[in-house]
Amino acid sequence: MTRILSLLDTLRTSRWSPLLALLAGALCVLAFAPWNIWPLPLISLTLLLWLLDNQPWRKAAVTGFAFAFGLNMPGLWWIHYSMTVFGGIALPVAFLMVALLAAYLAIYPALACGLLARLFPTQNAIWRRVLLFPALWLLSDWAMGHLLTGFPWLWFGYSQIHSPLIGIAPLFGVQGITLALLLCAAAISLGLQQRKPLWLLLPVALFAAGALLKPIHWTTEGQPVKFALMQGNIPQAAKWDPKNIKPTLLRYLDLTRDNQDAEIVIWPESAVPAFENDMQEFLANLDSSMHYNKVGFITGIQYMDMAQRRFYNGLIGLGWQDKEGKAEYRFGESNRYYKRHLVPIGEFVPFGELLRPIAPFFNLPMSSFSRGEAIQTNMQARGYRFAPAICYEMAFSDELRQNVHADTDYLLTVSNDTWFGSSHGPWQHMEITRMRAIEFGKPLLRATNSGVTIAFDSKGNTVGQIPQFKEAVLRTSVAPASGVTPYTRLGSWPLIGWVVIMLAWGLARENRNKIK
């Protein structure tokens, strides 16, 4: 052990330290889905803290940048699939674009590491690692998740779905788990550096706390409801071809016809590959059929507001909507949801007039949507209330939280991850979705075009799943849940308060040290 620590000290002060940071970041990719080797972030973050020790602020920033770039470049490589296969971009250019995204995302951890050395140069190792570094890292994560529409994807908390720390999620959300990981890494690094095993009591305590919290039921489950989630597996290249509208609808109708003994049927994002405006007769007939069979029905569809010339990616509810089955479908009216958090480039193009002429990639189908309202009424099916989110929106838990209430029975998300083929992207997306079920203590239904179509109970346990890239129906029974978790009630405010207090205390302490 002494030789290893001596070698690490040599590397830390050498020109090779950024490369070591890069490799440490890349190692973390295996902690996320589909690999889920959850202990790896403890190793990587411990190594990062070691590399940051006694570094000048510029080198610390470079170290943080290298670490984050090592995480994001392979971790987000799946994005290239949509660029090369559907965007008409050559692989080398796609590589460069993913690298630029990874570099942009690495700026935030670089700032956290650089500011740690710049703002707190006289703090001892304990305060820097245990209190100030976690506060700055969380601050950088939040900036990453909000600036320029945000991209809160590879947050470390998501890597702990299968670890005991997952019990923290209903209290403090995914970033509460990130904080626990940072505290564990700080304690391990101090224990190694100071040769004091007592520091290991902190990670033991945090993991024990997570394990004790995990069995707690924060919400109350009711009687199971029978669902049928349709996975049409429509080829992405054919999805928006007008001549394929009828074959697509026939495929979904055939799947639905064979599963009308379900209480609620759900079709995925854009399952109806046309505007609601042009499908009113079809939807009215479908509504009548679902009413006749007493089936609640929700599907993804686009809507065009003719008066304002705005386009929305949405969901609509038909059939047996309320408990009595009295509500009927009315074009453009209630029991619907419009996506709020749009995907840059995919659903709207910033500076579109400048970017669209550059490459076909900026002219992807359906890339001119408008945003829905931040707070929307829960959708209904068979009288049960659903808090919906479409695809990418599931990464924004604070936004979803605004529409999750005590009487919300289910979380619902529809998606079309066909854009990313057989890469690890859809599996990362699925794990992010799973975290929402655990945070809010609500069962979650996820219907997709080609997978991962899956259902979770209110504890985030899988209750049903079907294979990717297969035309299939997920038949499962899932119990609704009432009530709220502490995270639903308070959101990220406890963590924000902790970050503010730690940084204010650190700055005040630093000023006192300088005066002395």
Side-chain angles (χ1 to χ4, degrees):
M1 178 62 71
T2 302
R3 289 182 179 179
I4 294 175
L5 295 177
S6 177
L7 175 61
L8 287 174
D9 271 334
T10 302
L11 289 171
R12 177 171 55 83
T13 56
S14 74
R15 62 181 180 178
W16 299 106
S17 60
L19 177 60
L20 191 57
L22 184 83
L23 295 175
L27 181 66
C28 285
V29 175
L30 298 176
F32 296 90
W35 303 282
N36 300 117
I37 308 175
W38 59 264
L40 291 179
L42 287 173
I43 300 171
S44 293
L45 288 169
T46 299
L47 183 56
L48 174 62
L49 283 165
W50 193 285
L51 292 171
L52 291 173
D53 194 33
N54 294 323
Q55 296 282 18
W57 73 268
R58 288 185 178 86
K59 189 170 183 180
V62 170
T63 299
F65 182 91
F67 179 88
F69 187 84
L71 168 67
N72 286 301
M73 186 63 201
L76 299 176
W77 177 236
W78 49 269
I79 295 175
H80 90 278
Y81 193 92
S82 63
M83 297 179 181
T84 54
V85 176
F86 301 110
I89 292 178
L91 183 61
V93 178
F95 179 89
L96 177 61
M97 293 182 72
V98 176
L100 288 173
L101 173 62
Y104 161 71
L105 296 173
I107 291 173
Y108 297 99
L111 287 172
C113 295
L115 287 173
L116 181 70
R118 181 71 172 178
L119 297 178
F120 309 109
T122 69
Q123 301 289 342
N124 63 38
I126 294 175
W127 305 129
R128 281 166 59 95
R129 296 188 193 183
V130 177
L131 300 178
L132 301 174
F133 176 73
L136 285 168
W137 192 276
L138 288 183
L139 190 62
S140 74
D141 268 358
W142 281 321
M144 183 194 309
H146 289 86
L147 296 181
L148 300 178
T149 79
F151 192 70
W153 200 262
L154 293 178
W155 282 356
F156 282 118
Y158 290 119
S159 69
Q160 301 300 298
I161 286 281
H162 300 281
S163 95
L165 292 179
I166 194 62
I168 297 171
L171 275 76
F172 302 113
V174 62
Q175 287 299 72
I177 302 175
T178 300
L179 175 58
L181 275 175
L182 294 166
L183 293 172
C184 289
I188 293 170
S189 69
L190 287 167
L192 292 172
Q193 185 183 47
Q194 299 179 358
R195 312 294 199 274
K196 293 181 178 179
L198 283 176
W199 276 109
L200 299 181
L201 291 178
L202 178 56
V204 169
L206 288 170
F207 274 85
L212 290 172
L213 289 167
K214 187 177 179 181
I216 297 176
H217 287 271
W218 299 97
T219 54
T220 304
E221 293 188 345
Q223 293 299 312
V225 176
K226 293 186 293 183
F227 287 89
L229 278 61
M230 308 296 162
Q231 182 173 288
N233 198 33
I234 308 297
Q236 190 63 34
K239 187 172 182 63
W240 299 110
D241 189 335
K243 70 175 182 290
N244 289 319
I245 294 177
K246 185 175 181 180
T248 296
L249 295 177
L250 287 175
R251 179 179 298 190
Y252 276 109
L253 288 172
D254 288 342
L255 292 173
T256 303
R257 190 177 299 112
D258 295 334
N259 291 276
Q260 290 202 24
D261 57 323
E263 294 174 80
I264 299 174
V265 171
I266 299 173
W267 290 6
E269 180 183 14
S270 305
V272 181
F275 285 108
E276 181 186 358
N277 310 57
D278 302 322
M279 303 299 294
Q280 294 180 56
E281 183 179 355
F282 169 81
L283 293 171
N285 291 334
L286 186 58
D287 180 57
S288 298
S289 174
M290 293 296 172
H291 256 108
Y292 179 80
N293 290 286
K294 297 184 178 180
V295 175
F297 176 81
I298 297 175
T299 183
I301 194 169
Q302 286 77 48
Y303 168 76
M304 179 169 59
D305 185 333
M306 298 294 292
Q308 300 187 36
R309 298 296 297 175
R310 291 186 175 183
F311 306 88
Y312 295 95
N313 186 3
L315 288 163
I316 57 172
L318 309 176
W320 205 269
Q321 300 177 40
D322 51 21
K323 290 183 178 180
E324 297 79 21
K326 294 180 179 179
E328 295 182 355
Y329 167 70
R330 289 185 175 84
F331 170 69
E333 294 187 13
S334 60
N335 206 20
R336 60 188 53 233
Y337 172 81
Y338 296 140
K339 187 175 183 179
R340 172 193 180 186
H341 208 116
L342 304 177
V343 181
I345 309 301
E347 292 178 312
F348 80 102
V349 179
F351 312 108
E353 293 182 359
L354 296 174
L355 294 179
R356 288 186 188 276
I358 293 177
F361 176 64
F362 296 111
N363 288 305
L364 290 171
M366 316 307 290
S367 60
S368 299
F369 285 113
S370 297
R371 291 181 174 86
E373 296 295 327
I375 298 176
Q376 301 184 47
T377 304
N378 283 179
M379 296 186 69
Q380 289 196 64
R382 292 278 301 213
Y384 296 99
R385 298 178 181 274
F386 293 78
I390 297 177
C391 195
Y392 178 59
E393 288 187 303
M394 290 305 288
F396 298 87
S397 56
D398 281 327
E399 294 181 6
L400 177 59
R401 172 178 162 267
Q402 297 179 66
N403 294 316
V404 178
H405 315 293
D407 61 354
T408 299
D409 296 295
Y410 297 93
L411 305 180
L412 168 66
T413 183
V414 296
S415 186
N416 181 22
D417 286 342
T418 314
W419 290 106
F420 307 109
S422 58
S423 69
H424 53 279
W427 295 97
Q428 290 177 356
H429 195 186
M430 183 271 291
E431 290 286 34
I432 288 171
T433 298
R434 186 178 187 179
M435 183 64 75
R436 300 290 88 84
I438 300 169
E439 286 176 335
F440 296 114
K442 300 286 186 180
L444 189 147
L445 293 309
R446 185 177 195 259
T448 73
N449 175 47
S450 60
V452 182
T453 296
I454 195 166
F456 300 109
D457 65 14
S458 61
K459 298 290 291 179
N461 300 311
T462 303
V463 294
Q465 182 178 351
I466 51 180
Q468 281 183 294
F469 312 115
K470 179 181 179 181
E471 180 184 331
V473 178
L474 174 58
R475 292 299 308 268
T476 186
S477 294
V478 186
S482 59
V484 295
T485 64
Y487 176 74
T488 309
R489 194 180 304 277
L490 299 174
S492 297
W493 287 110
L495 291 183
I496 292 172
W498 183 85
V499 167
V500 171
I501 291 170
M502 289 302 101
L503 293 180
W505 171 84
L507 289 170
R509 194 172 188 274
E510 190 66 33
N511 286 333
R512 286 198 301 270
N513 289 343
K514 289 179 179 178
I515 292 172
K516 292 178 182 179

